[in-house]
């Protein structure tokens, strides 16, 4: 058997040995259209089944049922693992998002502090510039007034 599903294949291999030696025909015949479906053909003649062949069929059905249960359990386990992986990823994403948010808030606070320092520096520069202009006005006030009076009172011909 290519796939050994927890001993199912070994039971399937044993089934023909348990069946009577006279039953060489397949248990389930293909349909008339050749599709090979598992349902027995309605036109296929049915012979009397011995207890041994019935036991073999029951063994095959039990093995198939067990295989389906194993596949179903594997699918449920896979779904559970995927669900757990999603939950773990969500937790990891939330932690990363929180870390980035804290870094952003720290940077924002730092920029806010720098903004206050920048504002204070600009205010100091403004005060120095205003004081310098006030000095220059006081120093050159008389010269400017004389120039203006002269310009207004002098008539050009």
């Amino acid at each position: 058997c290519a796939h050994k599903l927890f001993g199912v294949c070994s039971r399937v291999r044993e089934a023909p040995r348990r069946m009577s030696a006279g039953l060489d025909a397949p248990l389930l015949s293909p349909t008339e259209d050749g599709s090979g479906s598992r349902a027995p053909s309605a036109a296929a003649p049915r012979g009397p089944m011995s207890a041994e062949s019935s036991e073999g069929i029951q063994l095959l059905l039990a093995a198939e049922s067990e295989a389906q249960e194993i596949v179903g359990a594997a699918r449920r386990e896979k779904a559970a693992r995927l669900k757990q992986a999603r939950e773990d990823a969500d937790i990891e994403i939330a932690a990363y998002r929180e870390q980035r948010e804290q870094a952003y808030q720290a940077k924002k606070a730092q920029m806010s502090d720098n903004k206050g320092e920048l504002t204070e520096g600009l205010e100091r520069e403004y005060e120095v510039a205003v004081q310098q202009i006030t000095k220059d006005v006081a120093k050159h006030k008389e010269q400017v007034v004389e120039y203006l009076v002269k310009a207004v009172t002098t008539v050009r011909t």
Side-chain angles (χ1 to χ4, degrees), residues 34-97:
S35 66
S37 83
R38 300 192 65 193
S41 172
R46 293 185 181 196
M49 292 190 149
S50 66
E52 290 178 0
S53 67
S54 177
E55 180 182 324
I57 292 172
Q58 292 302 318
L59 184 62
L60 287 173
L61 291 174
E64 181 181 5
S65 174
E66 185 178 345
Q68 287 176 348
E69 289 175 15
I70 291 169
V71 169
R75 285 184 179 149
R76 287 188 297 275
E77 289 175 14
K78 180 181 177 183
R81 284 193 312 267
L82 284 173
K83 182 178 178 184
Q84 183 63 40
R86 278 191 207 107
E87 290 172 359
D88 292 346
D90 287 342
I91 290 170
E92 212 172 301
I93 289 169
Y96 179 75
R97 188 173 285 146

Coordinates of all heavy atoms in Angstrom, one line a residue, residues 34-97:
G34 N -19.7 2.9 -17.8 CA -18.2 2.8 -17.7 C -17.6 3.7 -16.7 O -16.4 3.9 -16.7
S35 N -18.4 4.4 -15.9 CA -17.8 5.4 -15.0 C -17.2 4.8 -13.8 O -16.3 5.4 -13.2 CB -18.9 6.4 -14.5 OG -19.9 5.6 -13.7
G36 N -17.5 3.6 -13.5 CA -16.8 2.9 -12.4 C -17.3 3.4 -11.1 O -16.5 3.3 -10.1
S37 N -18.5 3.8 -10.9 CA -18.9 4.3 -9.7 C -19.0 3.2 -8.7 O -19.1 2.0 -9.1 CB -20.3 5.1 -9.8 OG -21.3 4.1 -9.8
R38 N -19.1 3.5 -7.4 CA -19.1 2.5 -6.4 C -20.4 1.7 -6.2 O -20.4 0.7 -5.6 CB -18.7 3.1 -5.1 CG -17.3 3.8 -5.2 CD -16.8 4.2 -3.9 NE -16.6 2.9 -3.2 CZ -16.3 2.8 -1.9 NH1 -16.3 3.9 -1.2 NH2 -16.2 1.6 -1.3
A39 N -21.5 2.3 -6.7 CA -22.8 1.7 -6.5 C -22.8 0.5 -7.4 O -22.4 0.5 -8.6 CB -23.9 2.6 -6.8
P40 N -23.4 -0.6 -7.0 CA -23.5 -1.8 -7.9 C -24.5 -1.5 -9.0 O -25.5 -0.8 -8.8 CB -24.0 -2.9 -6.9 CG -24.4 -2.3 -5.7 CD -23.8 -0.9 -5.6
S41 N -24.3 -2.1 -10.1 CA -25.1 -1.9 -11.3 C -26.5 -2.5 -11.0 O -26.5 -3.6 -10.4 CB -24.5 -2.5 -12.5 OG -25.3 -2.4 -13.6
A42 N -27.5 -1.9 -11.4 CA -28.9 -2.5 -11.2 C -29.0 -3.7 -12.1 O -29.8 -4.6 -11.8 CB -29.9 -1.4 -11.6
A43 N -28.3 -3.8 -13.2 CA -28.5 -4.9 -14.1 C -27.6 -6.1 -13.8 O -27.7 -7.1 -14.3 CB -28.2 -4.5 -15.6
A44 N -26.6 -5.9 -12.8 CA -25.7 -6.9 -12.5 C -26.4 -8.0 -11.7 O -27.2 -7.7 -10.7 CB -24.6 -6.3 -11.7
P45 N -26.2 -9.2 -12.0 CA -26.9 -10.3 -11.3 C -26.3 -10.5 -9.9 O -25.1 -10.3 -9.8 CB -26.7 -11.5 -12.2 CG -25.5 -11.2 -13.0 CD -25.5 -9.7 -13.1
R46 N -27.1 -10.7 -9.0 CA -26.6 -10.9 -7.6 C -26.7 -12.4 -7.3 O -27.8 -13.0 -7.4 CB -27.4 -10.1 -6.6 CG -27.2 -8.6 -6.8 CD -28.0 -7.9 -5.7 NE -27.8 -6.5 -5.9 CZ -28.0 -5.6 -5.1 NH1 -28.5 -5.9 -3.9 NH2 -27.8 -4.3 -5.3
G47 N -25.7 -12.9 -6.8 CA -25.7 -14.3 -6.4 C -25.8 -14.4 -4.9 O -25.8 -13.4 -4.2
P48 N -26.0 -15.6 -4.4 CA -26.1 -15.8 -3.0 C -24.7 -15.5 -2.3 O -23.7 -15.8 -2.8 CB -26.5 -17.2 -2.8 CG -26.0 -17.9 -4.1 CD -26.1 -16.9 -5.1
M49 N -24.8 -14.6 -1.3 CA -23.6 -14.3 -0.6 C -23.3 -15.2 0.6 O -24.2 -15.5 1.4 CB -23.7 -12.8 0.0 CG -23.7 -11.8 -1.1 SD -23.5 -10.2 -0.3 CE -22.7 -9.3 -1.5
S50 N -22.1 -15.7 0.7 CA -21.8 -16.5 1.8 C -21.4 -15.7 3.0 O -21.2 -14.5 2.9 CB -20.6 -17.4 1.4 OG -19.5 -16.7 1.2
A51 N -21.4 -16.3 4.1 CA -21.0 -15.6 5.3 C -19.6 -15.0 5.3 O -19.4 -13.9 5.8 CB -21.2 -16.5 6.5
E52 N -18.7 -15.7 4.6 CA -17.3 -15.2 4.5 C -17.2 -14.0 3.6 O -16.5 -13.1 3.9 CB -16.4 -16.4 3.9 CG -16.2 -17.5 4.9 CD -15.4 -18.6 4.3 OE1 -15.0 -18.5 3.1 OE2 -15.2 -19.6 5.0
S53 N -18.0 -14.0 2.5 CA -17.9 -12.8 1.6 C -18.6 -11.6 2.3 O -18.1 -10.5 2.2 CB -18.5 -13.1 0.3 OG -19.9 -13.3 0.4
S54 N -19.6 -11.8 3.0 CA -20.3 -10.8 3.8 C -19.3 -10.2 4.8 O -19.3 -9.0 5.0 CB -21.6 -11.3 4.4 OG -22.2 -10.3 5.2
E55 N -18.6 -11.1 5.5 CA -17.6 -10.7 6.5 C -16.5 -9.8 5.8 O -16.1 -8.8 6.4 CB -17.0 -11.9 7.2 CG -16.0 -11.6 8.2 CD -15.4 -12.8 8.8 OE1 -16.1 -13.8 9.0 OE2 -14.2 -12.8 9.1
G56 N -16.1 -10.2 4.6 CA -15.1 -9.5 3.9 C -15.6 -8.1 3.5 O -14.8 -7.1 3.6
I57 N -16.8 -8.0 3.1 CA -17.4 -6.7 2.7 C -17.5 -5.8 4.0 O -17.1 -4.7 3.9 CB -18.7 -6.9 2.1 CG1 -18.6 -7.6 0.7 CG2 -19.5 -5.6 1.9 CD1 -19.9 -8.0 0.0
Q58 N -17.9 -6.4 5.0 CA -18.0 -5.7 6.3 C -16.7 -5.2 6.7 O -16.5 -4.0 7.2 CB -18.7 -6.5 7.4 CG -20.1 -6.9 7.1 CD -21.0 -5.6 7.0 OE1 -20.8 -4.6 7.7 NE2 -21.9 -5.6 6.0
L59 N -15.7 -6.0 6.6 CA -14.3 -5.6 6.9 C -13.8 -4.4 6.1 O -13.2 -3.5 6.6 CB -13.3 -6.8 6.8 CG -11.9 -6.5 7.2 CD1 -11.9 -6.2 8.7 CD2 -11.1 -7.8 6.9
L60 N -14.1 -4.5 4.8 CA -13.7 -3.4 3.9 C -14.5 -2.1 4.2 O -13.9 -1.0 4.2 CB -14.0 -3.8 2.4 CG -13.1 -4.8 1.8 CD1 -13.6 -5.2 0.4 CD2 -11.7 -4.2 1.7
L61 N -15.8 -2.3 4.5 CA -16.6 -1.1 4.9 C -16.0 -0.5 6.2 O -16.0 0.7 6.4 CB -18.0 -1.4 5.0 CG -18.7 -1.8 3.7 CD1 -20.2 -2.2 4.0 CD2 -18.7 -0.6 2.8
A62 N -15.7 -1.3 7.2 CA -15.1 -0.9 8.4 C -13.8 -0.1 8.2 O -13.6 0.9 8.8 CB -15.0 -2.0 9.4
A63 N -13.0 -0.7 7.3 CA -11.7 -0.1 7.0 C -11.9 1.3 6.4 O -11.2 2.3 6.7 CB -10.8 -1.0 6.1
E64 N -12.9 1.4 5.4 CA -13.2 2.6 4.8 C -13.7 3.6 5.8 O -13.3 4.8 5.8 CB -14.2 2.4 3.7 CG -14.5 3.7 2.9 CD -15.6 3.5 1.9 OE1 -16.1 2.4 1.7 OE2 -15.8 4.5 1.1
S65 N -14.5 3.2 6.7 CA -15.1 4.1 7.7 C -14.0 4.6 8.6 O -13.9 5.8 8.9 CB -16.1 3.3 8.5 OG -16.6 4.1 9.6
E66 N -13.1 3.7 9.0 CA -11.9 4.1 9.8 C -11.0 5.1 9.1 O -10.6 6.1 9.7 CB -11.1 2.9 10.3 CG -10.0 3.2 11.2 CD -9.3 2.0 11.7 OE1 -9.7 0.8 11.4 OE2 -8.2 2.1 12.2
A67 N -10.8 4.9 7.8 CA -10.0 5.8 7.0 C -10.7 7.2 7.0 O -10.0 8.2 7.1 CB -9.8 5.2 5.6
Q68 N -12.0 7.2 6.8 CA -12.7 8.5 6.8 C -12.6 9.2 8.1 O -12.4 10.4 8.2 CB -14.1 8.3 6.4 CG -14.4 7.9 4.9 CD -15.8 7.6 4.6 OE1 -16.6 7.4 5.5 NE2 -16.1 7.5 3.3
E69 N -12.6 8.4 9.2 CA -12.5 9.0 10.5 C -11.1 9.6 10.7 O -10.9 10.7 11.2 CB -12.8 8.0 11.6 CG -14.2 7.6 11.7 CD -14.4 6.5 12.7 OE1 -13.5 6.2 13.5 OE2 -15.5 5.9 12.7
I70 N -10.1 8.9 10.2 CA -8.7 9.4 10.3 C -8.5 10.7 9.5 O -7.9 11.6 10.0 CB -7.7 8.3 9.9 CG1 -7.7 7.1 10.9 CG2 -6.3 8.9 9.7 CD1 -7.0 5.9 10.5
V71 N -9.1 10.7 8.3 CA -8.9 11.9 7.4 C -9.7 13.0 8.1 O -9.2 14.2 8.1 CB -9.5 11.6 6.0 CG1 -9.6 12.8 5.2 CG2 -8.5 10.6 5.3
G72 N -10.9 12.7 8.6 CA -11.7 13.8 9.3 C -10.9 14.4 10.5 O -10.9 15.6 10.7
A73 N -10.3 13.5 11.3 CA -9.5 13.9 12.4 C -8.4 14.8 12.0 O -8.1 15.8 12.6 CB -9.1 12.7 13.2
A74 N -7.7 14.4 10.9 CA -6.6 15.1 10.4 C -7.0 16.5 9.9 O -6.3 17.5 10.2 CB -5.9 14.4 9.3
R75 N -8.2 16.6 9.3 CA -8.7 17.9 8.8 C -9.0 18.8 10.0 O -8.8 20.0 10.0 CB -9.9 17.7 8.0 CG -9.6 17.2 6.6 CD -10.8 17.1 5.7 NE -10.4 16.6 4.4 CZ -11.1 15.9 3.6 NH1 -12.4 15.5 4.0 NH2 -10.7 15.5 2.4
R76 N -9.6 18.2 11.1 CA -10.0 19.0 12.2 C -8.7 19.5 12.9 O -8.7 20.6 13.4 CB -10.8 18.1 13.2 CG -12.2 17.9 12.7 CD -13.1 17.3 13.8 NE -12.6 15.9 14.2 CZ -13.0 14.8 13.5 NH1 -13.8 14.9 12.5 NH2 -12.5 13.6 13.9
E77 N -7.7 18.6 13.0 CA -6.4 19.0 13.6 C -5.8 20.1 12.8 O -5.2 21.1 13.4 CB -5.5 17.8 13.7 CG -5.9 16.8 14.8 CD -5.0 15.6 14.8 OE1 -3.9 15.6 14.1 OE2 -5.4 14.6 15.4
K78 N -5.8 20.0 11.5 CA -5.3 21.1 10.6 C -6.0 22.4 10.8 O -5.4 23.5 10.9 CB -5.3 20.6 9.1 CG -4.8 21.7 8.2 CD -4.9 21.2 6.7 CE -4.4 22.3 5.8 NZ -4.6 21.8 4.4
A79 N -7.3 22.3 10.9 CA -8.1 23.5 11.1 C -7.8 24.1 12.5 O -7.7 25.4 12.6 CB -9.6 23.2 11.0
A80 N -7.6 23.3 13.5 CA -7.2 23.8 14.8 C -5.9 24.5 14.8 O -5.7 25.5 15.4 CB -7.3 22.7 15.8
R81 N -4.9 23.8 14.1 CA -3.6 24.4 14.0 C -3.6 25.8 13.2 O -2.9 26.7 13.6 CB -2.6 23.5 13.3 CG -2.1 22.3 14.1 CD -1.0 21.6 13.5 NE -1.1 21.2 12.1 CZ -1.6 20.1 11.7 NH1 -2.0 19.2 12.5 NH2 -1.7 19.9 10.4
L82 N -4.4 25.8 12.2 CA -4.5 27.1 11.4 C -5.2 28.2 12.3 O -4.7 29.3 12.3 CB -5.4 26.9 10.2 CG -4.7 26.2 9.0 CD1 -5.7 25.9 7.9 CD2 -3.5 27.1 8.5
K83 N -6.2 27.8 13.1 CA -6.8 28.8 14.0 C -5.8 29.3 15.0 O -5.8 30.5 15.3 CB -8.0 28.1 14.6 CG -8.8 29.0 15.5 CD -10.0 28.3 16.1 CE -10.7 29.3 17.1 NZ -11.8 28.6 17.8
Q84 N -5.1 28.3 15.6 CA -4.1 28.7 16.6 C -3.0 29.6 16.0 O -2.6 30.6 16.6 CB -3.4 27.5 17.2 CG -2.4 27.8 18.3 CD -3.1 28.4 19.5 OE1 -4.2 28.1 19.9 NE2 -2.4 29.4 20.1
A85 N -2.6 29.3 14.8 CA -1.6 30.1 14.1 C -2.1 31.5 13.8 O -1.4 32.5 14.0 CB -1.2 29.5 12.8
R86 N -3.4 31.6 13.4 CA -4.0 33.0 13.2 C -4.0 33.7 14.5 O -3.7 34.9 14.6 CB -5.4 32.8 12.7 CG -5.5 32.6 11.2 CD -6.9 32.7 10.7 NE -7.0 31.9 9.5 CZ -7.7 30.8 9.4 NH1 -8.3 30.3 10.4 NH2 -7.7 30.1 8.3
E87 N -4.4 33.1 15.6 CA -4.5 33.7 16.9 C -3.1 34.2 17.4 O -2.9 35.3 17.8 CB -5.1 32.8 18.0 CG -6.6 32.5 17.8 CD -7.1 31.5 18.7 OE1 -6.3 30.9 19.5 OE2 -8.3 31.2 18.6
D88 N -2.1 33.3 17.2 CA -0.7 33.7 17.5 C -0.3 34.9 16.7 O 0.4 35.8 17.2 CB 0.2 32.5 17.3 CG 0.0 31.4 18.3 OD1 -0.7 31.6 19.3 OD2 0.5 30.3 18.1
A89 N -0.6 34.9 15.4 CA -0.2 36.0 14.5 C -0.9 37.3 14.9 O -0.3 38.4 14.9 CB -0.6 35.7 13.1
D90 N -2.2 37.2 15.3 CA -2.9 38.4 15.8 C -2.3 39.0 17.0 O -2.2 40.2 17.2 CB -4.4 38.0 16.0 CG -5.2 37.8 14.8 OD1 -4.7 38.2 13.7 OD2 -6.3 37.2 14.8
I91 N -1.9 38.1 17.9 CA -1.2 38.5 19.2 C 0.1 39.2 18.8 O 0.4 40.3 19.3 CB -1.0 37.4 20.1 CG1 -2.4 36.9 20.7 CG2 -0.1 37.7 21.3 CD1 -2.3 35.6 21.5
E92 N 0.9 38.6 17.9 CA 2.1 39.2 17.5 C 2.0 40.5 16.8 O 2.7 41.5 17.1 CB 2.8 38.2 16.6 CG 4.3 38.2 16.7 CD 5.0 37.1 15.9 OE1 4.7 35.9 16.1 OE2 5.7 37.4 14.9
I93 N 0.9 40.6 16.0 CA 0.7 41.9 15.3 C 0.3 42.9 16.3 O 0.7 44.1 16.1 CB -0.4 41.6 14.2 CG1 0.1 40.8 13.0 CG2 -1.0 43.0 13.7 CD1 -0.9 40.3 12.1
A94 N -0.6 42.6 17.2 CA -1.0 43.6 18.2 C 0.2 44.1 19.0 O 0.3 45.3 19.3 CB -2.1 42.9 19.2
A95 N 1.1 43.2 19.4 CA 2.3 43.6 20.2 C 3.2 44.5 19.3 O 3.7 45.6 19.8 CB 3.1 42.4 20.6
Y96 N 3.3 44.2 18.0 CA 4.1 45.0 17.1 C 3.5 46.4 17.0 O 4.2 47.4 17.0 CB 4.3 44.3 15.8 CG 5.1 45.1 14.8 CD1 6.5 45.3 14.9 CD2 4.5 45.8 13.7 CE1 7.2 46.0 14.0 CE2 5.2 46.6 12.8 CZ 6.6 46.7 13.0 OH 7.3 47.4 12.1
R97 N 2.2 46.4 16.8 CA 1.4 47.6 16.6 C 1.6 48.5 17.8 O 1.8 49.7 17.7 CB 0.0 47.3 16.3 CG -0.8 48.5 15.9 CD -2.2 48.2 15.5 NE -2.2 47.6 14.2 CZ -2.9 46.6 13.7 NH1 -3.9 46.1 14.5 NH2 -2.8 46.2 12.5

